Amino acid sequence: MLVATQVAESSLDLDFDLAVTDLAPVDSVLQRAGRLWRHTGRDRPIPGPELVVVSPDPAGAVAAAWAAAAFPRAAYVYRDHGILWRTARELPARPAFRVPQDVRPAIEAVFSEDETDIPAPLLSIHFDAVGRAGAERAAAHGALLAAAAGYWPDQAWPDEGTVPTRLAEESRSVRLARVADGRLVPWHPDADHRLAWALSEVTVAVRKLCGHLAPAAPWHAAVAAARAGWSRFDAAVILLPLEPQPDGTWQGMLVAEDGGSLIVTYGSRLGLML
């Protein structure tokens, strides 16, 4: 038995006899179905490939929390609950799913631009997801380089350290440092100094930092000395000095422009805690 997240739905040569999945957009569900009976020559405990989709009833009463009540976390991952509702409606509409005959009709029905069939309580969530998707497309377009126009020095992004390379929540890179021989060194030791800094780097959501982006004042000189060997591409990276604590964790402080402080704790088991 394998219990996995959606990371197992594609690009893995997994061969399941039967799969049980939470509701997801129809394209993701079909990707998961593709992990069924991939190889011949095996004894199977059931007569044919079977995919069980756990879903709230699309034919019953639909409230704004139709998806969130059933899947609190997945409802955040799959933000368009109108798409989820359509998927729940389409999948049971046929006694068996035939590939490839049923693929296009199902996908076109789920991702139709005609929104009149989406239940009213889900419309605001659907419109919000559509708006987010449009904003993400605009952000991606703004980060494109005009390759056909050739290269010139000023065509690059204003700040190569902060240009997003994927559509996700805005984040900042934080490098963890400790004191050794009176100076700051990478938290993770390695003979290759550049690799040591890379292995000491974590990513933190900007909303969790709440504007606390600089080390405490007593560390400024040591931080400047440590950053002296970094490249210009690391200008946006935050350096966080850590000190060992009695419980085996490491602790540091970041400050905001208004003087507020944020205590940050790091442990090898639990990771970064804010």
PDB file of all heavy atoms in Angstrom, residues 9 16-37 46 48-54 87 91-92 94-97 99:
ATOM      1  N   GLU A   9       1.036  11.490  -9.113  1.00  0.00           N
ATOM      2  CA  GLU A   9       0.068  11.342 -10.199  1.00  0.00           C
ATOM      3  C   GLU A   9       0.697  11.347 -11.584  1.00  0.00           C
ATOM      4  O   GLU A   9       0.041  10.980 -12.563  1.00  0.00           O
ATOM      5  CB  GLU A   9      -1.003  12.431 -10.114  1.00  0.00           C
ATOM      6  CG  GLU A   9      -0.569  13.813 -10.534  1.00  0.00           C
ATOM      7  CD  GLU A   9      -1.652  14.865 -10.351  1.00  0.00           C
ATOM      8  OE1 GLU A   9      -2.511  14.681  -9.478  1.00  0.00           O
ATOM      9  OE2 GLU A   9      -1.628  15.860 -11.081  1.00  0.00           O
ATOM     10  N   PHE A  16      -0.439   0.331  -9.950  1.00  0.00           N
ATOM     11  CA  PHE A  16      -1.371  -0.016  -8.886  1.00  0.00           C
ATOM     12  C   PHE A  16      -2.459  -0.936  -9.400  1.00  0.00           C
ATOM     13  O   PHE A  16      -2.885  -0.846 -10.555  1.00  0.00           O
ATOM     14  CB  PHE A  16      -2.034   1.246  -8.309  1.00  0.00           C
ATOM     15  CG  PHE A  16      -1.059   2.236  -7.721  1.00  0.00           C
ATOM     16  CD1 PHE A  16      -1.191   3.591  -7.984  1.00  0.00           C
ATOM     17  CD2 PHE A  16      -0.029   1.820  -6.909  1.00  0.00           C
ATOM     18  CE1 PHE A  16      -0.310   4.514  -7.441  1.00  0.00           C
ATOM     19  CE2 PHE A  16       0.869   2.728  -6.365  1.00  0.00           C
ATOM     20  CZ  PHE A  16       0.729   4.075  -6.626  1.00  0.00           C
ATOM     21  N   ASP A  17      -2.927  -1.821  -8.535  1.00  0.00           N
ATOM     22  CA  ASP A  17      -4.102  -2.627  -8.857  1.00  0.00           C
ATOM     23  C   ASP A  17      -5.367  -1.787  -8.716  1.00  0.00           C
ATOM     24  O   ASP A  17      -6.270  -1.825  -9.548  1.00  0.00           O
ATOM     25  CB  ASP A  17      -4.195  -3.838  -7.925  1.00  0.00           C
ATOM     26  CG  ASP A  17      -2.995  -4.759  -8.075  1.00  0.00           C
ATOM     27  OD1 ASP A  17      -2.609  -5.017  -9.224  1.00  0.00           O
ATOM     28  OD2 ASP A  17      -2.439  -5.195  -7.050  1.00  0.00           O
ATOM     29  N   LEU A  18      -5.419  -1.004  -7.632  1.00  0.00           N
ATOM     30  CA  LEU A  18      -6.581  -0.168  -7.323  1.00  0.00           C
ATOM     31  C   LEU A  18      -6.080   1.113  -6.687  1.00  0.00           C
ATOM     32  O   LEU A  18      -5.076   1.099  -5.963  1.00  0.00           O
ATOM     33  CB  LEU A  18      -7.525  -0.912  -6.384  1.00  0.00           C
ATOM     34  CG  LEU A  18      -8.783  -0.174  -5.899  1.00  0.00           C
ATOM     35  CD1 LEU A  18      -9.946  -1.152  -5.740  1.00  0.00           C
ATOM     36  CD2 LEU A  18      -8.529   0.534  -4.576  1.00  0.00           C
ATOM     37  N   ALA A  19      -6.744   2.206  -6.947  1.00  0.00           N
ATOM     38  CA  ALA A  19      -6.360   3.488  -6.358  1.00  0.00           C
ATOM     39  C   ALA A  19      -7.582   4.175  -5.772  1.00  0.00           C
ATOM     40  O   ALA A  19      -8.691   4.092  -6.322  1.00  0.00           O
ATOM     41  CB  ALA A  19      -5.706   4.388  -7.400  1.00  0.00           C
ATOM     42  N   VAL A  20      -7.378   4.837  -4.651  1.00  0.00           N
ATOM     43  CA  VAL A  20      -8.402   5.657  -4.011  1.00  0.00           C
ATOM     44  C   VAL A  20      -7.855   7.074  -3.939  1.00  0.00           C
ATOM     45  O   VAL A  20      -6.753   7.292  -3.428  1.00  0.00           O
ATOM     46  CB  VAL A  20      -8.742   5.146  -2.596  1.00  0.00           C
ATOM     47  CG1 VAL A  20      -9.798   6.041  -1.955  1.00  0.00           C
ATOM     48  CG2 VAL A  20      -9.220   3.697  -2.637  1.00  0.00           C
ATOM     49  N   THR A  21      -8.596   8.035  -4.472  1.00  0.00           N
ATOM     50  CA  THR A  21      -8.112   9.417  -4.504  1.00  0.00           C
ATOM     51  C   THR A  21      -9.178  10.384  -4.036  1.00  0.00           C
ATOM     52  O   THR A  21     -10.371  10.177  -4.269  1.00  0.00           O
ATOM     53  CB  THR A  21      -7.665   9.803  -5.934  1.00  0.00           C
ATOM     54  OG1 THR A  21      -7.282  11.184  -5.954  1.00  0.00           O
ATOM     55  CG2 THR A  21      -8.788   9.612  -6.944  1.00  0.00           C
ATOM     56  N   ASP A  22      -8.733  11.435  -3.376  1.00  0.00           N
ATOM     57  CA  ASP A  22      -9.641  12.552  -3.096  1.00  0.00           C
ATOM     58  C   ASP A  22      -9.978  13.239  -4.411  1.00  0.00           C
ATOM     59  O   ASP A  22      -9.239  13.139  -5.394  1.00  0.00           O
ATOM     60  CB  ASP A  22      -8.982  13.558  -2.146  1.00  0.00           C
ATOM     61  CG  ASP A  22      -8.866  13.035  -0.725  1.00  0.00           C
ATOM     62  OD1 ASP A  22      -9.558  12.050  -0.401  1.00  0.00           O
ATOM     63  OD2 ASP A  22      -8.067  13.598   0.042  1.00  0.00           O
ATOM     64  N   LEU A  23     -11.072  13.959  -4.410  1.00  0.00           N
ATOM     65  CA  LEU A  23     -11.484  14.706  -5.591  1.00  0.00           C
ATOM     66  C   LEU A  23     -10.408  15.726  -5.976  1.00  0.00           C
ATOM     67  O   LEU A  23      -9.839  16.404  -5.121  1.00  0.00           O
ATOM     68  CB  LEU A  23     -12.812  15.412  -5.325  1.00  0.00           C
ATOM     69  CG  LEU A  23     -13.392  16.245  -6.465  1.00  0.00           C
ATOM     70  CD1 LEU A  23     -13.754  15.348  -7.649  1.00  0.00           C
ATOM     71  CD2 LEU A  23     -14.602  17.026  -5.984  1.00  0.00           C
ATOM     72  N   ALA A  24     -10.165  15.831  -7.269  1.00  0.00           N
ATOM     73  CA  ALA A  24      -9.234  16.804  -7.833  1.00  0.00           C
ATOM     74  C   ALA A  24      -9.772  17.182  -9.203  1.00  0.00           C
ATOM     75  O   ALA A  24     -10.709  16.548  -9.704  1.00  0.00           O
ATOM     76  CB  ALA A  24      -7.835  16.197  -7.936  1.00  0.00           C
ATOM     77  N   PRO A  25      -9.231  18.201  -9.862  1.00  0.00           N
ATOM     78  CA  PRO A  25      -9.659  18.508 -11.236  1.00  0.00           C
ATOM     79  C   PRO A  25      -9.521  17.283 -12.129  1.00  0.00           C
ATOM     80  O   PRO A  25      -8.639  16.452 -11.935  1.00  0.00           O
ATOM     81  CB  PRO A  25      -8.708  19.639 -11.648  1.00  0.00           C
ATOM     82  CG  PRO A  25      -8.348  20.300 -10.361  1.00  0.00           C
ATOM     83  CD  PRO A  25      -8.263  19.193  -9.354  1.00  0.00           C
ATOM     84  N   VAL A  26     -10.386  17.193 -13.122  1.00  0.00           N
ATOM     85  CA  VAL A  26     -10.483  15.972 -13.916  1.00  0.00           C
ATOM     86  C   VAL A  26      -9.162  15.587 -14.570  1.00  0.00           C
ATOM     87  O   VAL A  26      -8.841  14.394 -14.681  1.00  0.00           O
ATOM     88  CB  VAL A  26     -11.594  16.112 -14.983  1.00  0.00           C
ATOM     89  CG1 VAL A  26     -11.237  17.173 -16.023  1.00  0.00           C
ATOM     90  CG2 VAL A  26     -11.876  14.783 -15.654  1.00  0.00           C
ATOM     91  N   ASP A  27      -8.348  16.559 -14.984  1.00  0.00           N
ATOM     92  CA  ASP A  27      -7.075  16.204 -15.608  1.00  0.00           C
ATOM     93  C   ASP A  27      -6.143  15.517 -14.612  1.00  0.00           C
ATOM     94  O   ASP A  27      -5.419  14.580 -14.963  1.00  0.00           O
ATOM     95  CB  ASP A  27      -6.413  17.427 -16.241  1.00  0.00           C
ATOM     96  CG  ASP A  27      -6.300  18.605 -15.291  1.00  0.00           C
ATOM     97  OD1 ASP A  27      -7.092  18.693 -14.336  1.00  0.00           O
ATOM     98  OD2 ASP A  27      -5.423  19.462 -15.508  1.00  0.00           O
ATOM     99  N   SER A  28      -6.178  15.957 -13.357  1.00  0.00           N
ATOM    100  CA  SER A  28      -5.362  15.316 -12.326  1.00  0.00           C
ATOM    101  C   SER A  28      -5.889  13.928 -11.996  1.00  0.00           C
ATOM    102  O   SER A  28      -5.108  12.987 -11.769  1.00  0.00           O
ATOM    103  CB  SER A  28      -5.327  16.178 -11.060  1.00  0.00           C
ATOM    104  OG  SER A  28      -4.603  17.371 -11.279  1.00  0.00           O
ATOM    105  N   VAL A  29      -7.213  13.791 -11.949  1.00  0.00           N
ATOM    106  CA  VAL A  29      -7.794  12.469 -11.686  1.00  0.00           C
ATOM    107  C   VAL A  29      -7.390  11.489 -12.781  1.00  0.00           C
ATOM    108  O   VAL A  29      -7.048  10.327 -12.503  1.00  0.00           O
ATOM    109  CB  VAL A  29      -9.327  12.566 -11.570  1.00  0.00           C
ATOM    110  CG1 VAL A  29      -9.945  11.172 -11.469  1.00  0.00           C
ATOM    111  CG2 VAL A  29      -9.722  13.393 -10.349  1.00  0.00           C
ATOM    112  N   LEU A  30      -7.411  11.934 -14.026  1.00  0.00           N
ATOM    113  CA  LEU A  30      -7.034  11.056 -15.125  1.00  0.00           C
ATOM    114  C   LEU A  30      -5.547  10.687 -15.059  1.00  0.00           C
ATOM    115  O   LEU A  30      -5.163   9.569 -15.406  1.00  0.00           O
ATOM    116  CB  LEU A  30      -7.353  11.718 -16.463  1.00  0.00           C
ATOM    117  CG  LEU A  30      -8.845  11.904 -16.758  1.00  0.00           C
ATOM    118  CD1 LEU A  30      -9.047  12.613 -18.088  1.00  0.00           C
ATOM    119  CD2 LEU A  30      -9.562  10.558 -16.765  1.00  0.00           C
ATOM    120  N   GLN A  31      -4.714  11.626 -14.619  1.00  0.00           N
ATOM    121  CA  GLN A  31      -3.303  11.308 -14.432  1.00  0.00           C
ATOM    122  C   GLN A  31      -3.139  10.220 -13.376  1.00  0.00           C
ATOM    123  O   GLN A  31      -2.319   9.303 -13.527  1.00  0.00           O
ATOM    124  CB  GLN A  31      -2.523  12.557 -14.001  1.00  0.00           C
ATOM    125  CG  GLN A  31      -2.287  13.562 -15.106  1.00  0.00           C
ATOM    126  CD  GLN A  31      -1.109  13.171 -15.989  1.00  0.00           C
ATOM    127  OE1 GLN A  31      -0.579  12.083 -15.905  1.00  0.00           O
ATOM    128  NE2 GLN A  31      -0.716  14.082 -16.860  1.00  0.00           N
ATOM    129  N   ARG A  32      -3.919  10.286 -12.322  1.00  0.00           N
ATOM    130  CA  ARG A  32      -3.833   9.269 -11.271  1.00  0.00           C
ATOM    131  C   ARG A  32      -4.335   7.927 -11.784  1.00  0.00           C
ATOM    132  O   ARG A  32      -3.786   6.871 -11.431  1.00  0.00           O
ATOM    133  CB  ARG A  32      -4.631   9.745 -10.051  1.00  0.00           C
ATOM    134  CG  ARG A  32      -4.043  11.011  -9.453  1.00  0.00           C
ATOM    135  CD  ARG A  32      -4.929  11.667  -8.427  1.00  0.00           C
ATOM    136  NE  ARG A  32      -4.454  13.034  -8.183  1.00  0.00           N
ATOM    137  CZ  ARG A  32      -4.904  13.837  -7.235  1.00  0.00           C
ATOM    138  NH1 ARG A  32      -5.862  13.418  -6.425  1.00  0.00           N
ATOM    139  NH2 ARG A  32      -4.414  15.048  -7.102  1.00  0.00           N
ATOM    140  N   ALA A  33      -5.365   7.981 -12.609  1.00  0.00           N
ATOM    141  CA  ALA A  33      -5.864   6.741 -13.205  1.00  0.00           C
ATOM    142  C   ALA A  33      -4.800   6.085 -14.080  1.00  0.00           C
ATOM    143  O   ALA A  33      -4.794   4.855 -14.257  1.00  0.00           O
ATOM    144  CB  ALA A  33      -7.120   7.027 -14.026  1.00  0.00           C
ATOM    145  N   GLY A  34      -3.896   6.877 -14.604  1.00  0.00           N
ATOM    146  CA  GLY A  34      -2.825   6.345 -15.433  1.00  0.00           C
ATOM    147  C   GLY A  34      -1.802   5.524 -14.680  1.00  0.00           C
ATOM    148  O   GLY A  34      -0.930   4.891 -15.297  1.00  0.00           O
ATOM    149  N   ARG A  35      -1.888   5.521 -13.344  1.00  0.00           N
ATOM    150  CA  ARG A  35      -0.992   4.668 -12.547  1.00  0.00           C
ATOM    151  C   ARG A  35      -1.573   3.261 -12.382  1.00  0.00           C
ATOM    152  O   ARG A  35      -0.960   2.406 -11.750  1.00  0.00           O
ATOM    153  CB  ARG A  35      -0.773   5.248 -11.143  1.00  0.00           C
ATOM    154  CG  ARG A  35      -0.313   6.697 -11.049  1.00  0.00           C
ATOM    155  CD  ARG A  35       0.915   6.962 -11.855  1.00  0.00           C
ATOM    156  NE  ARG A  35       0.577   7.750 -13.038  1.00  0.00           N
ATOM    157  CZ  ARG A  35       1.356   7.928 -14.077  1.00  0.00           C
ATOM    158  NH1 ARG A  35       2.525   7.353 -14.134  1.00  0.00           N
ATOM    159  NH2 ARG A  35       0.976   8.650 -15.098  1.00  0.00           N
ATOM    160  N   LEU A  36      -2.745   2.992 -12.940  1.00  0.00           N
ATOM    161  CA  LEU A  36      -3.411   1.700 -12.774  1.00  0.00           C
ATOM    162  C   LEU A  36      -3.020   0.732 -13.883  1.00  0.00           C
ATOM    163  O   LEU A  36      -3.024   1.103 -15.066  1.00  0.00           O
ATOM    164  CB  LEU A  36      -4.929   1.879 -12.774  1.00  0.00           C
ATOM    165  CG  LEU A  36      -5.528   2.626 -11.578  1.00  0.00           C
ATOM    166  CD1 LEU A  36      -6.976   2.996 -11.866  1.00  0.00           C
ATOM    167  CD2 LEU A  36      -5.440   1.780 -10.316  1.00  0.00           C
ATOM    168  N   TRP A  37      -2.704  -0.477 -13.518  1.00  0.00           N
ATOM    169  CA  TRP A  37      -2.485  -1.574 -14.471  1.00  0.00           C
ATOM    170  C   TRP A  37      -1.568  -1.159 -15.621  1.00  0.00           C
ATOM    171  O   TRP A  37      -1.873  -1.373 -16.791  1.00  0.00           O
ATOM    172  CB  TRP A  37      -3.831  -2.082 -15.006  1.00  0.00           C
ATOM    173  CG  TRP A  37      -4.643  -2.827 -13.984  1.00  0.00           C
ATOM    174  CD1 TRP A  37      -4.920  -2.418 -12.717  1.00  0.00           C
ATOM    175  CD2 TRP A  37      -5.288  -4.091 -14.151  1.00  0.00           C
ATOM    176  NE1 TRP A  37      -5.692  -3.348 -12.079  1.00  0.00           N
ATOM    177  CE2 TRP A  37      -5.945  -4.389 -12.937  1.00  0.00           C
ATOM    178  CE3 TRP A  37      -5.395  -4.993 -15.208  1.00  0.00           C
ATOM    179  CZ2 TRP A  37      -6.679  -5.547 -12.746  1.00  0.00           C
ATOM    180  CZ3 TRP A  37      -6.124  -6.146 -15.022  1.00  0.00           C
ATOM    181  CH2 TRP A  37      -6.754  -6.431 -13.807  1.00  0.00           C
ATOM    182  N   ILE A  46      -8.035  -8.110  -8.436  1.00  0.00           N
ATOM    183  CA  ILE A  46      -9.355  -7.669  -8.891  1.00  0.00           C
ATOM    184  C   ILE A  46      -9.426  -7.856 -10.402  1.00  0.00           C
ATOM    185  O   ILE A  46      -8.390  -7.919 -11.075  1.00  0.00           O
ATOM    186  CB  ILE A  46      -9.626  -6.192  -8.516  1.00  0.00           C
ATOM    187  CG1 ILE A  46      -8.509  -5.277  -9.043  1.00  0.00           C
ATOM    188  CG2 ILE A  46      -9.777  -6.018  -7.007  1.00  0.00           C
ATOM    189  CD1 ILE A  46      -8.756  -3.802  -8.773  1.00  0.00           C
ATOM    190  N   GLY A  48     -10.305  -5.943 -12.906  1.00  0.00           N
ATOM    191  CA  GLY A  48      -9.971  -4.855 -13.797  1.00  0.00           C
ATOM    192  C   GLY A  48      -9.500  -3.639 -13.024  1.00  0.00           C
ATOM    193  O   GLY A  48      -9.676  -3.560 -11.808  1.00  0.00           O
ATOM    194  N   PRO A  49      -8.870  -2.655 -13.706  1.00  0.00           N
ATOM    195  CA  PRO A  49      -8.406  -1.443 -13.020  1.00  0.00           C
ATOM    196  C   PRO A  49      -9.578  -0.667 -12.440  1.00  0.00           C
ATOM    197  O   PRO A  49     -10.618  -0.514 -13.085  1.00  0.00           O
ATOM    198  CB  PRO A  49      -7.695  -0.652 -14.123  1.00  0.00           C
ATOM    199  CG  PRO A  49      -8.274  -1.173 -15.400  1.00  0.00           C
ATOM    200  CD  PRO A  49      -8.601  -2.605 -15.162  1.00  0.00           C
ATOM    201  N   GLU A  50      -9.401  -0.177 -11.235  1.00  0.00           N
ATOM    202  CA  GLU A  50     -10.487   0.526 -10.558  1.00  0.00           C
ATOM    203  C   GLU A  50      -9.947   1.740  -9.821  1.00  0.00           C
ATOM    204  O   GLU A  50      -8.966   1.639  -9.079  1.00  0.00           O
ATOM    205  CB  GLU A  50     -11.194  -0.410  -9.575  1.00  0.00           C
ATOM    206  CG  GLU A  50     -12.439   0.194  -8.936  1.00  0.00           C
ATOM    207  CD  GLU A  50     -13.225  -0.815  -8.124  1.00  0.00           C
ATOM    208  OE1 GLU A  50     -12.980  -2.018  -8.296  1.00  0.00           O
ATOM    209  OE2 GLU A  50     -14.069  -0.389  -7.317  1.00  0.00           O
ATOM    210  N   LEU A  51     -10.597   2.875 -10.042  1.00  0.00           N
ATOM    211  CA  LEU A  51     -10.240   4.122  -9.369  1.00  0.00           C
ATOM    212  C   LEU A  51     -11.439   4.596  -8.567  1.00  0.00           C
ATOM    213  O   LEU A  51     -12.518   4.830  -9.114  1.00  0.00           O
ATOM    214  CB  LEU A  51      -9.849   5.203 -10.388  1.00  0.00           C
ATOM    215  CG  LEU A  51      -9.485   6.572  -9.808  1.00  0.00           C
ATOM    216  CD1 LEU A  51      -8.154   6.507  -9.072  1.00  0.00           C
ATOM    217  CD2 LEU A  51      -9.419   7.624 -10.906  1.00  0.00           C
ATOM    218  N   VAL A  52     -11.265   4.731  -7.263  1.00  0.00           N
ATOM    219  CA  VAL A  52     -12.324   5.197  -6.377  1.00  0.00           C
ATOM    220  C   VAL A  52     -12.063   6.661  -6.053  1.00  0.00           C
ATOM    221  O   VAL A  52     -10.987   7.010  -5.536  1.00  0.00           O
ATOM    222  CB  VAL A  52     -12.369   4.375  -5.077  1.00  0.00           C
ATOM    223  CG1 VAL A  52     -13.457   4.899  -4.149  1.00  0.00           C
ATOM    224  CG2 VAL A  52     -12.593   2.896  -5.386  1.00  0.00           C
ATOM    225  N   VAL A  53     -13.002   7.529  -6.380  1.00  0.00           N
ATOM    226  CA  VAL A  53     -12.857   8.963  -6.127  1.00  0.00           C
ATOM    227  C   VAL A  53     -13.735   9.349  -4.949  1.00  0.00           C
ATOM    228  O   VAL A  53     -14.965   9.194  -4.989  1.00  0.00           O
ATOM    229  CB  VAL A  53     -13.241   9.794  -7.370  1.00  0.00           C
ATOM    230  CG1 VAL A  53     -13.087  11.283  -7.077  1.00  0.00           C
ATOM    231  CG2 VAL A  53     -12.385   9.397  -8.560  1.00  0.00           C
ATOM    232  N   VAL A  54     -13.113   9.845  -3.903  1.00  0.00           N
ATOM    233  CA  VAL A  54     -13.842  10.306  -2.712  1.00  0.00           C
ATOM    234  C   VAL A  54     -14.266  11.744  -2.949  1.00  0.00           C
ATOM    235  O   VAL A  54     -13.427  12.618  -3.173  1.00  0.00           O
ATOM    236  CB  VAL A  54     -12.956  10.191  -1.454  1.00  0.00           C
ATOM    237  CG1 VAL A  54     -13.718  10.666  -0.222  1.00  0.00           C
ATOM    238  CG2 VAL A  54     -12.469   8.763  -1.276  1.00  0.00           C
ATOM    239  N   THR A  87     -16.071  18.283 -12.060  1.00  0.00           N
ATOM    240  CA  THR A  87     -15.402  16.986 -12.109  1.00  0.00           C
ATOM    241  C   THR A  87     -16.227  15.936 -11.382  1.00  0.00           C
ATOM    242  O   THR A  87     -16.420  14.817 -11.885  1.00  0.00           O
ATOM    243  CB  THR A  87     -14.003  17.076 -11.483  1.00  0.00           C
ATOM    244  OG1 THR A  87     -13.215  18.014 -12.216  1.00  0.00           O
ATOM    245  CG2 THR A  87     -13.308  15.723 -11.492  1.00  0.00           C
ATOM    246  N   LEU A  91     -17.533  12.623 -13.682  1.00  0.00           N
ATOM    247  CA  LEU A  91     -16.956  11.289 -13.531  1.00  0.00           C
ATOM    248  C   LEU A  91     -18.010  10.191 -13.347  1.00  0.00           C
ATOM    249  O   LEU A  91     -17.908   9.130 -13.961  1.00  0.00           O
ATOM    250  CB  LEU A  91     -15.946  11.271 -12.377  1.00  0.00           C
ATOM    251  CG  LEU A  91     -14.649  12.049 -12.636  1.00  0.00           C
ATOM    252  CD1 LEU A  91     -13.755  11.992 -11.416  1.00  0.00           C
ATOM    253  CD2 LEU A  91     -13.912  11.488 -13.855  1.00  0.00           C
ATOM    254  N   PRO A  92     -19.057  10.407 -12.536  1.00  0.00           N
ATOM    255  CA  PRO A  92     -20.050   9.337 -12.372  1.00  0.00           C
ATOM    256  C   PRO A  92     -21.070   9.297 -13.514  1.00  0.00           C
ATOM    257  O   PRO A  92     -21.968   8.447 -13.494  1.00  0.00           O
ATOM    258  CB  PRO A  92     -20.759   9.686 -11.046  1.00  0.00           C
ATOM    259  CG  PRO A  92     -20.031  10.845 -10.476  1.00  0.00           C
ATOM    260  CD  PRO A  92     -19.314  11.510 -11.594  1.00  0.00           C
ATOM    261  N   ARG A  94     -20.828   8.292 -16.416  1.00  0.00           N
ATOM    262  CA  ARG A  94     -20.636   7.140 -17.299  1.00  0.00           C
ATOM    263  C   ARG A  94     -20.270   5.935 -16.452  1.00  0.00           C
ATOM    264  O   ARG A  94     -19.565   6.076 -15.449  1.00  0.00           O
ATOM    265  CB  ARG A  94     -19.543   7.438 -18.339  1.00  0.00           C
ATOM    266  CG  ARG A  94     -18.331   8.113 -17.735  1.00  0.00           C
ATOM    267  CD  ARG A  94     -17.312   8.567 -18.763  1.00  0.00           C
ATOM    268  NE  ARG A  94     -17.816   9.594 -19.657  1.00  0.00           N
ATOM    269  CZ  ARG A  94     -17.895  10.893 -19.357  1.00  0.00           C
ATOM    270  NH1 ARG A  94     -17.538  11.304 -18.143  1.00  0.00           N
ATOM    271  NH2 ARG A  94     -18.325  11.760 -20.232  1.00  0.00           N
ATOM    272  N   PRO A  95     -20.728   4.751 -16.794  1.00  0.00           N
ATOM    273  CA  PRO A  95     -20.472   3.567 -15.972  1.00  0.00           C
ATOM    274  C   PRO A  95     -19.001   3.191 -15.896  1.00  0.00           C
ATOM    275  O   PRO A  95     -18.539   2.629 -14.908  1.00  0.00           O
ATOM    276  CB  PRO A  95     -21.286   2.462 -16.668  1.00  0.00           C
ATOM    277  CG  PRO A  95     -21.468   2.957 -18.072  1.00  0.00           C
ATOM    278  CD  PRO A  95     -21.554   4.443 -17.977  1.00  0.00           C
ATOM    279  N   ALA A  96     -18.250   3.493 -16.939  1.00  0.00           N
ATOM    280  CA  ALA A  96     -16.808   3.249 -16.951  1.00  0.00           C
ATOM    281  C   ALA A  96     -16.169   4.338 -17.795  1.00  0.00           C
ATOM    282  O   ALA A  96     -16.796   4.896 -18.701  1.00  0.00           O
ATOM    283  CB  ALA A  96     -16.491   1.865 -17.522  1.00  0.00           C
ATOM    284  N   PHE A  97     -14.925   4.647 -17.478  1.00  0.00           N
ATOM    285  CA  PHE A  97     -14.226   5.702 -18.203  1.00  0.00           C
ATOM    286  C   PHE A  97     -13.343   5.051 -19.252  1.00  0.00           C
ATOM    287  O   PHE A  97     -12.420   4.294 -18.926  1.00  0.00           O
ATOM    288  CB  PHE A  97     -13.395   6.553 -17.247  1.00  0.00           C
ATOM    289  CG  PHE A  97     -13.102   7.922 -17.777  1.00  0.00           C
ATOM    290  CD1 PHE A  97     -13.908   8.994 -17.444  1.00  0.00           C
ATOM    291  CD2 PHE A  97     -12.022   8.139 -18.636  1.00  0.00           C
ATOM    292  CE1 PHE A  97     -13.646  10.262 -17.941  1.00  0.00           C
ATOM    293  CE2 PHE A  97     -11.757   9.385 -19.130  1.00  0.00           C
ATOM    294  CZ  PHE A  97     -12.573  10.459 -18.785  1.00  0.00           C
ATOM    295  N   VAL A  99     -10.589   5.231 -22.238  1.00  0.00           N
ATOM    296  CA  VAL A  99      -9.465   6.044 -22.716  1.00  0.00           C
ATOM    297  C   VAL A  99      -9.061   5.520 -24.091  1.00  0.00           C
ATOM    298  O   VAL A  99      -8.837   4.327 -24.264  1.00  0.00           O
ATOM    299  CB  VAL A  99      -8.277   5.953 -21.738  1.00  0.00           C
ATOM    300  CG1 VAL A  99      -7.084   6.739 -22.265  1.00  0.00           C
ATOM    301  CG2 VAL A  99      -8.674   6.462 -20.356  1.00  0.00           C
TER     302      VAL A  99
END
